[in-house]
Amino acid sequence: EADIYQTPRYLVIGTGKKITLECSQTMGHDKMYWYQQDPGMELHLIHYSYGVNSTEKGDLSSESTVSRIRTEHFPLTLESARPSHTSQYLCASSEWTVDVTEAFFGQGTRLTVV
Amino acid sequence: DAKTTQPPSMDCAEGRAANLPCNHSTISGNEYVYWYRQIHSQGPQYIIHGLKNNETNEMASLIITEDRKSSTLILPHATLRDTAVYYCIVRVRGYGGSQGNLIFGKGTKLSVKP
């Protein structure tokens, strides 16, 4: 069983609010990722990190920001939530090696902005 | 990363083998083929990966053609719990830049029926 946790699992919040989605892993993985997934659609990579103080933008442009102050923690923040941010957000982690390895995913956070 | 093509949906009878095809005709020599699945919009789960040899684990078998332009994921005895979206992903060996990132397509929705 993967040791990667996301909180909250579900969040309903009003427009304009600031929110932070939490993601933590206990596997000591250097590489972490955030994906966004609308219902019935594919996952889109929005952010990733190679380790502490490293953050990169993914393939899908996102108004969210991320930080990596500790290896195990990779929170995602929306400064001012809008209905267009309604989606599922999935966090993942993997080792960072030349030979690709398995990525472990959290259960996701379902965000609804009203 | 090379692009993959999968059928949008497939059905399989419970207890029978499920054979999920994937086309990756532009794959290069340093790219692996990965398979993940996603059940009910939970976080994706790793199934198997391979470079050029066929691979088998407790979940599935991966058959890669000799020219590496296509592959087939085989679930030998499908159960109702195998109903999910299955993603075939080509992933570069390496860890610089965006190498090693998992880029998901639309996948194949497999429905296992009693």
Side-chain angles (χ1 to χ4, degrees), chain A residues 3-5 22-30 32 51-52 67-75 91 93:
Chain A
D3 295 319
I4 181 163
Y5 308 99
E22 302 289 348
C23 176
S24 295
Q25 51 94 7
T26 58
M27 296 172 280
H29 288 163
D30 286 320
M32 296 188 73
V52 171
S67 63
R68 191 88 181 274
I69 298 173
R70 303 198 316 265
T71 297
E72 63 271 23
H73 196 213
F74 191 40
C91 180
S93 74

Side-chain angles (χ1 to χ4, degrees), chain B:
Chain B
D1 293 339
K3 188 174 175 60
T4 62
T5 303
Q6 299 178 252
S9 64
M10 292 182 64
D11 289 340
C12 178
E14 188 178 20
R16 304 300 290 267
N19 297 285
L20 293 97
C22 179
N23 182 287
H24 32 78
S25 58
T26 60
I27 194 170
S28 62
N30 66 341
E31 290 179 316
Y32 286 80
V33 178
Y34 268 72
W35 285 83
Y36 279 74
R37 73 179 182 184
Q38 187 176 27
I39 299 173
H40 292 309
S41 294
Q42 296 175 14
Q45 175 191 24
Y46 165 83
I47 301 173
I48 199 167
H49 76 280
L51 185 63
K52 54 183 177 181
N53 298 321
N54 297 338
E55 302 287 346
T56 295
N57 63 20
E58 64 279 4
M59 287 183 69
S61 294
L62 174 61
I63 309 298
I64 302 174
T65 58
E66 193 169 341
D67 63 7
R68 301 186 70 239
K69 293 185 177 182
S70 65
S71 61
T72 301
L73 178 75
I74 301 172
L75 307 179
H77 305 287
T79 70
L80 299 179
R81 289 180 295 179
D82 291 323
T83 292
V85 178
Y86 287 77
Y87 299 98
C88 171
I89 300 166
V90 172
R91 191 181 188 192
V92 171
R93 178 180 185 268
Y95 62 125
S98 62
Q99 292 174 333
N101 287 345
L102 282 170
I103 304 301
F104 288 81
K106 297 186 187 302
T108 295
K109 183 173 173 56
L110 175 69
S111 298
V112 181
K113 299 182 184 300

Side-chain angles (χ1 to χ4, degrees), chain A residues 31 35 50 59 98-99 101, chain B residues 38 91 93-94 97 101-103:
Chain A
K31 200 160 183 190
Y35 289 83
Y50 291 111
D59 298 330
V98 171
D99 286 308
T101 60
Chain B
Q38 187 176 27
R91 191 181 188 192
R93 178 180 185 268
N101 287 345
L102 282 170
I103 304 301

Side-chain angles (χ1 to χ4, degrees), chain A residues 11-85:
Chain A
L11 178 62
V12 180
I13 201 161
T15 297
K17 299 290 186 183
K18 178 180 178 179
I19 59 170
T20 297
L21 308 184
E22 302 289 348
C23 176
S24 295
Q25 51 94 7
T26 58
M27 296 172 280
H29 288 163
D30 286 320
K31 200 160 183 190
M32 296 188 73
Y33 316 77
W34 276 103
Y35 289 83
Q36 182 176 346
Q37 184 178 34
D38 292 334
M41 306 297 286
E42 63 258 50
L43 290 85
H44 291 286
L45 180 67
I46 53 174
H47 299 284
Y48 60 100
S49 165
Y50 291 111
V52 171
N53 294 326
S54 152
T55 61
E56 303 286 343
K57 292 190 179 298
D59 298 330
L60 180 69
S61 176
S62 173
E63 294 172 344
S64 60
T65 59
V66 292
S67 63
R68 191 88 181 274
I69 298 173
R70 303 198 316 265
T71 297
E72 63 271 23
H73 196 213
F74 191 40
L76 180 145
T77 298
L78 278 164
E79 290 293 333
S80 179
R82 296 207 301 267
S84 61
H85 296 141

